[in-house]
Amino acid sequence: GQSLEQPSEVTAVEGAIVQINCTYQTSGFYGLSWYQQHDGGAPTFLSYNALDGLEETGRFSSFLSRSDSYGYLLLQELQMKDSASYFCAVSPSSGGSYIPTFGRGTSLIVHP
Amino acid sequence: EAGVAQSPRYKIIEKRQSVAFWCNPISGHATLYWYQQILGQGPKLLIQFQNNGVVDDSQLPKDRFSAERLKGVDSTLKIQPAKLEDSAVYLCASSFGTGWTGELFFGEGSRLTVL
């Protein structure tokens, strides 16, 4: 089976930098995705790491270390609108299809 | 490009009643997923379709839940009879189905309350 661990809650102030960690155990690992979900809204895709290293998309960056089964999402220049839940997800393969499995999520609270 | 469409957005039923949710994925997306998201938790996969075939339904409570995607396009998820613990948001998502990019496109979800 698969398991993912991420902190339940992280708080930070506007303008700061915050890192949300994710550790995973899975068979047939094919990459780590990150999603953002505001209260009452749909999860929206942020980034995907298939290979080790850092991927940067604007204020958001995501990192993966396959050898450590570990990744993180880095949010810079925090804004109030970044207050949301963030989920990491792995995608083990079965019969040629990828089956996305999500963590329990990290609630990010940004204070003024 | 239209996104993933789901209906109804909200549904309130009594326990032991039945309910059905509908999803229309993004045009051209071969893979369709139904997730259950209980308040405060991450989405849990119920069933995954590739075209009109089932890829994975290992976490679908088959004694009460059923899903179909007869023509490989839209899909229906049914619960019968509902239990209190089925109160959740039911999220439909789709992806291209070839060349995995790690990205799912989610609909707004159908929020179910079972009284």
Side-chain angles (χ1 to χ4, degrees):
Chain A
Q2 299 82 43
S3 70
L4 298 99
E5 294 290 332
Q6 43 181 139
S8 59
E9 185 176 293
V10 172
T11 60
V13 296
E14 243 182 329
I17 299 172
V18 72
Q19 179 174 312
I20 299 173
N21 298 320
C22 174
T23 58
Y24 59 86
Q25 287 186 314
T26 182
S27 57
F29 177 80
Y30 281 93
L32 186 70
S33 301
W34 288 93
Y35 289 80
Q36 178 192 63
Q37 185 179 33
H38 287 98
D39 279 350
T44 55
F45 174 80
L46 293 176
S47 68
Y48 175 64
N49 293 68
L51 303 174
D52 284 2
L54 193 67
E55 294 281 342
E56 298 180 73
T57 309
R59 294 188 297 115
F60 294 2
S61 303
S62 57
F63 172 82
L64 175 65
S65 169
R66 297 169 71 106
S67 60
D68 295 323
S69 298
Y70 163 77
Y72 66 72
L73 179 69
L74 191 74
L75 297 85
Q76 303 182 71
E77 301 172 18
L78 280 175
Q79 302 175 10
M80 296 295 291
K81 67 178 182 179
D82 297 329
S83 291
S85 292
Y86 293 84
F87 298 91
C88 58
V90 295
S91 306
S93 173
S94 173
S97 295
Y98 300 91
I99 304 173
T101 301
F102 286 76
R104 293 180 64 90
T106 298
S107 177
L108 171 63
I109 301 170
V110 180
H111 295 287
Chain B
E1 177 183 87
V4 176
Q6 289 190 246
S7 67
R9 287 295 313 278
Y10 305 92
K11 189 74 175 178
I12 300 174
I13 61 174
E14 301 276 339
K15 60 183 179 184
R16 291 187 290 274
Q17 287 186 323
S18 63
V19 63
F21 302 113
W22 174 81
C23 171
N24 195 30
I26 292 173
S27 178
H29 281 195
T31 309
L32 184 148
Y33 315 76
W34 282 103
Y35 284 89
Q36 179 193 59
Q37 187 174 28
I38 293 172
L39 188 65
Q41 298 184 19
K44 170 188 155 187
L45 183 67
L46 293 176
I47 189 166
Q48 178 176 340
F49 293 96
Q50 178 80 11
N51 297 309
N52 60 351
V54 175
V55 172
D56 185 272
D57 63 356
S58 57
Q59 299 190 88
L60 186 74
K62 298 180 185 64
D63 58 334
R64 299 183 300 105
F65 286 64
S66 64
E68 59 183 16
R69 193 185 185 199
L70 295 176
K71 297 182 179 179
V73 180
D74 59 344
S75 175
T76 302
L77 175 71
K78 295 180 181 177
I79 308 174
Q80 181 179 14
K83 292 185 175 181
L84 296 177
E85 58 261 36
D86 298 332
S87 293
V89 176
Y90 291 85
L91 294 163
C92 179
S94 67
S95 65
F96 288 104
T98 58
W100 179 243
T101 64
E103 181 175 7
L104 299 182
F105 297 81
F106 282 89
E108 292 295 319
S110 294
R111 184 178 297 274
L112 173 66
T113 302
V114 182
L115 303 176

